[in-house]
Amino acid sequence: MADTVSIPADVADAFTDAWCTTVITSDVAASLGCTEVDALADMLRALGAEQAADEWTDAHAQDDEPNDRHFRGTVPADASLASDGMRWSPDPADAQDG
């Protein structure tokens, strides 16, 4: 999408005020899917709320599973992540899936 939209400043301010609080981030981020948190983070970044966008992604990542896009934990070498018995291995492509 190359089109640009105009958002009134008061609407943008109200949006960031509503979504840039520690309480709502910690309460909601884990319940969002990866695509949802990415969309919210992208919107916050577009509105200039870089730190809040990072906080949403970080809070969401804390509850991600090993095969989720934002997972940052450690997976035991013998952990099976698929029904066919495939094993997880750290690969840059893993960060893109989910």
Side-chain angles (χ1 to χ4, degrees):
M1 265 170 66
D3 295 334
T4 302
V5 297
S6 177
I7 300 173
D10 61 330
V11 173
D13 290 342
F15 183 86
T16 55
D17 286 348
W19 291 96
C20 297
T21 68
T22 304
V23 173
I24 194 168
T25 302
S26 62
D27 286 350
V28 177
S31 65
L32 296 178
C34 292
T35 300
E36 296 163 336
V37 81
D38 284 344
L40 177 57
D42 288 346
M43 178 62 78
L44 291 169
R45 284 188 184 92
L47 295 172
E50 295 283 334
Q51 181 178 347
D54 292 342
E55 289 171 2
W56 272 94
T57 303
D58 292 344
H60 166 80
Q62 291 177 11
D63 287 336
D64 258 6
E65 298 294 323
N67 53 349
D68 290 336
R69 183 180 317 152
H70 302 105
F71 179 74
R72 297 180 186 152
T74 305
V75 178
D78 63 343
S80 175
L81 302 177
S83 59
D84 63 1
M86 291 177 57
R87 302 289 179 211
W88 182 84
S89 61
D91 185 293
D94 290 340
Q96 303 301 316
D97 298 337

